[in-house]
């Protein structure tokens, strides 16, 4: 009973927040609603017993991705009203295509069938939660069965990083940079000069 | 010694991944400009990986919990991909330096792109398929925009990225539908499930196939998913275009063949109509749209769309001869394409690159060797015997005819006659038009070497076609469990 209430609560808030992400006028509000949506999705994961995914969602998406979004939204001076100017023009055709796609999806899901051989075909059956907690179960799958694709995704991220640096990093000339080694290695002789100053003359520095 | 090593089938990928990362280190930590050194090592790594792929055994080996497969099909595709990548890299060195964007990341990204391609052709699972494809695409997006001070290159990169991301989304959606029906991402399991089902495929699976086929058609730039091709080919720096038109095309085509034949082989009746439609549309677009082009790079883009259409004719046959035809066709296409781009990369007047077709006027008088090389490539692409391009077309059309797809074969022949017009027009411009000012002489050994090898292959293929055709036949047989 309590679980059902929690499920509908999380789902309702999730859908409401997701809608607000799209319709909110202020982009900062959109990002805040996105964070709310992530929290509720995490709640749904907890209800399903997938506590690791729930924590991951909170740590990675709320903690890193959404904060990054927030930075970008606040630093870029994007005029969202201007971006939406063409919206009304494209609305009819967009809506028409959307409706056609929706109708097709209903058609597909209405006639959905799973293969009769599905139970045997299941590549990796879900382990018994009373035997192994799901962090460990995920680890076993990722690092044993899917080690190849795990490494491959690492390479994809490496290429993304290289790409970002290649396309944006510019070596700027004439920028003063701090060199701690040089600072530390500086001797008294380099920095201090003792100049005898005659009275009422001053010195050129 | 190599046979005892349990990961030996993974050797090409291991070589590429490790050398890619090592070269990144070398480039980042060397004090001076390391582009030349890194490029040299990158070519060596690509060739070493090609050698490792060529010496794989003929057995089908499945590794890594069923996510990776090595068989003659993957070995054939890998050798072609890696050699084409090495050739494209060799051709680009001087150009990049001259145009001021020679950076050590360029060869490194090419190595990673090649790694993505080898992973694609060795994929035995929807997840490894997707990751290989993404690794390749992501490297290519960056390469397209690597000349970041040029508005055209940036636009090309952005356009490619946005449309490529869309197609990846389609692929994932289609893959999720197939997974939803079969309960597995493994190709062998999916194949088993599809066979068990028999009869007509359920509508959800057909939707999945349509989405996957559309996404992969985007990657091979087959019509009607070709819109990005001319813009990206024109905007990207020419050596990058040469690379795009060769290895990634072959890799994506090999992937498309494997996906349709291995896991979805039982549903050939369902996907054949898609392939037939895409083949006809691509051949038509390639033949008609290229006629009006003035930029040679745009012309090559439309020409590549047309060639993909011809290769798909072989796939439409859906049997062993058809797949053999696709492989022979794509291998020959890659060789002649690299030859043509070696000439395009030499189109330079007083140190500045030119790229309109009119600039080629009278090339036969100012630089007869260059003109002869391009003429051979053009005649071959038009499919005139006894050049290599003719044999490529011969094998795919023969497969289509023996599978009973007469209308498709007839349309293909008609399209190649129309397409011959613009290939021959280039030859006419080079040989019979009033000469334009001469190009600078070619001093670059990389380009000259690639052009020489490509021309020799195209001219002399008919003397000894057996090795390529045999290897392709063995590769195709592996896919059909022979």
């Amino acid at each position: 009973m309590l679980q059902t209430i929690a499920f509908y609560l999380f789902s309702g808030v999730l859908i409401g927040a997701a809608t607000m992400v799209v319709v909110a006028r202020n982009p900062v509000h959109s990002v805040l609603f996105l964070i709310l949506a992530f929290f509720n999705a995490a709640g749904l994961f907890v209800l399903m017993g997938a506590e690791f995914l729930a924590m991951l969602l909170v740590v990675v998406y709320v903690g890193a991705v959404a904060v990054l979004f927030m930075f970008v939204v606040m630093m870029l001076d994007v005029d969202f009203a201007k971006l939406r100017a063409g919206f009304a023009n494209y609305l009819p055709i967009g809506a028409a295509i959307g409706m056609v796609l929706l109708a097709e999806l209903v058609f597909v899901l209405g006639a959905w069938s799973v293969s009769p051989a599905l139970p045997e075909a299941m590549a990796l059956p879900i382990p018994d939660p009373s035997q192994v907690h799901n962090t460990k179960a995920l680890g076993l799958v990722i690092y044993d069965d899917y080690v190849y694709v795990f490494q491959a995704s690492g390479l994809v991220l490496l290429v993304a990083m290289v790409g970002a640096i290649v396309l944006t990093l510019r070596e700027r000339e004439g920028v003063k940079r701090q060199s701690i080694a040089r600072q530390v290695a500086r001797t008294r002789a380099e920095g201090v000069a003792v100049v005898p100053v005659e009275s009422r003359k001053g010195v050129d520095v | 010694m190599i046979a005892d090593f349990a990961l030996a089938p993974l050797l090409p990928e291991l070589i590429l991944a490790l050398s890619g990362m090592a070269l990144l280190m070398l480039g980042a930590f060397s004090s001076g400009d390391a582009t030349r050194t890194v490029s040299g090592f990158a070519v060596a790594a690509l060739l070493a990986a090609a050698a490792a792929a060529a010496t794989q055994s003929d057995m089908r080996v499945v590794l890594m919990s069923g996510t990776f497969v090595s068989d003659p099909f993957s070995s054939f595709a890998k050798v072609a991909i890696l050699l084409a990548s090495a050739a494209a890299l060799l051709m680009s060195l001087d150009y990049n330096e001259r145009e001021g964007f020679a950076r050590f990341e360029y060869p490194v990204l090419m190595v990673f792109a090649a790694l993505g391609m080898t992973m694609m052709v060795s994929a035995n699972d929807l997840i490894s398929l997707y990751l290989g494809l993404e690794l390749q695409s992501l490297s290519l997006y960056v390469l397209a925009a690597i000349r970041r001070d040029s508005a055209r290159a940036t636009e090309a990169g952005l356009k490619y990225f946005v449309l490529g991301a869309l197609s990846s989304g389609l692929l994932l959606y289609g893959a999720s539908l197939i997974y939803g029906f079969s309960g597995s991402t493994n190709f062998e399991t999916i194949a088993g499930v599809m066979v068990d089902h028999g009869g007509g495929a359920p509508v959800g699976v057909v939707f999945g196939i349509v989405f996957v086929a559309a996404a992969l058609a985007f990657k091979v730039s087959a019509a009607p998913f070709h819109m990005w091709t001319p813009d990206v080919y024109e905007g990207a720096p020419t050596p990058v275009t040469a690379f795009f038109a060769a290895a990634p095309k072959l890799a994506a085509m090999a992937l498309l063949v494997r996906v349709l034949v291995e896991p979805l082989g039982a549903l050939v009746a369902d996907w054949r109509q898609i392939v037939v439609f895409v083949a006809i549309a691509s051949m038509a677009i390639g033949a008609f749209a290229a006629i009006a082009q003035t930029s040679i790079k745009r012309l090559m883009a439309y020409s590549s769309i047309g060639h993909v259409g011809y290769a798909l004719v072989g796939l439409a046959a859906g049997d062993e001869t058809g797949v053999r035809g696709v492989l022979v066709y794509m291998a020959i296409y890659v060789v002649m394409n690299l030859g043509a781009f070696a000439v395009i990369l030499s189109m330079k007047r007083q140190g500045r690159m030119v790229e309109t077709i009119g600039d080629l006027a009278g090339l036969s008088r100012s630089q007869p060797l260059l003109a002869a090389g391009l003429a051979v490539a053009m005649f071959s692409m038009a499919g005139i015997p006894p050049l290599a391009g003719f044999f490529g077309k011969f094998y795919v059309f023969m497969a289509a005819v023996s599978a009973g797809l007469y209308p498709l074969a007839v349309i293909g022949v008609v399209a190649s006659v129309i397409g011959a017009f613009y290939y021959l027009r280039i030859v006419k411009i080079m040989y019979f038009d009033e000469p334009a000012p001469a190009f600078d002489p070619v001093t670059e050994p990389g380009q000259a070497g690639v052009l020489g090898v490509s021309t020799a292959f195209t001219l002399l293929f008919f003397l000894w076609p057996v090795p390529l055709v045999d290897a392709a036949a063995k590769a195709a047989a592996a896919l059909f469990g022979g």
Side-chain angles (χ1 to χ4, degrees), chain A residues 105 107-108 111-115 117-118 121-123 144-145 148-149 152 155-156 158-160 162-163 166-170, chain B residues 65 67-68 103 105 112 115 119 131 135 138-139 142 145 148-149 173 177 180-184 189 193 202-204 207:
Chain A
L105 288 181
F107 176 57
V108 171
W112 188 256
S113 61
V114 290
S115 152
L118 186 65
M122 296 276 260
D144 281 358
D145 291 313
Y148 175 68
V149 288
L155 284 173
V156 171
L158 175 68
V159 168
V162 172
V166 168
L167 296 182
T168 56
L169 180 74
R170 288 180 193 272
Chain B
S65 316
T67 50
F68 176 91
R103 313 181 56 188
E105 288 96 342
F112 281 126
L115 171 64
M119 289 172 60
L131 282 168
L135 183 57
L138 206 55
S139 315
V142 181
R148 59 191 187 184
D149 299 319
Y173 187 56
L177 287 175
F181 174 78
S182 62
S184 171
T189 320
V193 169
V203 67
F207 261 69

Side-chain angles (χ1 to χ4, degrees), chain A residues 87-125:
Chain A
F87 188 67
N89 293 342
Y90 297 111
L91 188 63
I93 188 156
I97 292 174
M99 289 312 290
V100 170
L101 269 179
L102 187 67
E104 285 173 349
L105 288 181
V106 168
F107 176 57
V108 171
L109 292 176
W112 188 256
S113 61
V114 290
S115 152
L118 186 65
E120 305 99 82
M122 296 276 260
L124 298 157

Side-chain angles (χ1 to χ4, degrees), chain A residues 3 13 17 23 32 51 55 76 81 117 125 146 168 188 190 204-205:
Chain A
Q3 285 223 337
V13 178
V23 298
L32 290 173
E51 69 273 357
M55 291 309 121
L76 289 184
Y146 287 131
T168 56
R188 183 185 157 85
E190 279 177 65
D204 292 329
V205 179

Side-chain angles (χ1 to χ4, degrees), chain A residues 72-92:
Chain A
V72 171
V73 165
M74 287 184 165
M75 283 165 79
L76 289 184
D77 186 20
V78 182
D79 187 353
F80 282 85
K82 214 173 183 177
L83 281 180
R84 288 193 186 147
F87 188 67
N89 293 342
Y90 297 111
L91 188 63

Side-chain angles (χ1 to χ4, degrees), chain B residues 135-146:
Chain B
L135 183 57
Q136 176 243 21
S137 312
L138 206 55
S139 315
L140 296 188
Y141 304 147
V142 181
L143 283 176
I146 196 154

